[in-house]
Amino acid sequence: MARAFLPLDVVRIVTNELMREDDERKRTRADRESVRVDLSPASAYEAVTRQMVEALADDLREIKRRLDGLLWMVAGAIVIDIVIRLSGAGS
């Protein structure tokens, strides 16, 4: 005669399934981490190109910082203008 299906059987089945999925995730992650890409330049051209790209990235970061500062200055001037007009001192 077959034994009755108990609620604890569900817990055991789900736990085993979750453990299998976790093991599979760990194996997949380990496989991905074991493959490393060599990023060192293979030629002089690649090294010069990388330096140029890094310099361009630095320039773009500086332009972004300056533009952000300019936008904050304009927003601050608008807020100050609104406050002055609301206080009645600007007329």
Side-chain angles (χ1 to χ4, degrees):
M1 179 159 221
R3 121 180 139 85
F5 194 71
L6 300 173
L8 289 177
D9 293 336
V10 174
V11 172
R12 186 170 44 257
I13 291 170
V14 170
T15 303
N16 289 339
E17 185 64 31
L18 289 174
M19 290 173 61
R20 271 195 300 269
E21 289 176 3
D22 190 43
D23 291 342
E24 181 64 29
R25 253 187 264 116
K26 286 179 184 177
R27 264 188 257 111
T28 304
R29 185 178 303 131
D31 291 343
R32 267 189 273 137
E33 290 176 355
S34 66
V35 178
R36 296 288 181 196
V37 177
D38 183 22
L39 296 177
S40 62
S43 65
Y45 173 76
E46 190 175 335
V48 170
T49 304
R50 181 174 294 172
Q51 287 176 347
M52 291 170 54
V53 168
E54 288 172 357
L56 181 62
D58 291 340
D59 290 343
L60 287 175
R61 260 187 245 108
E62 181 182 349
I63 290 170
K64 183 183 176 212
R65 280 195 307 264
R66 288 182 180 199
L67 186 60
D68 285 345
L70 181 64
L71 291 174
W72 278 107
M73 184 182 69
V74 168
I78 290 171
V79 168
I80 289 172
D81 187 42
I82 291 172
V83 168
I84 289 173
R85 288 182 187 206
L86 289 175
S87 68
S91 44

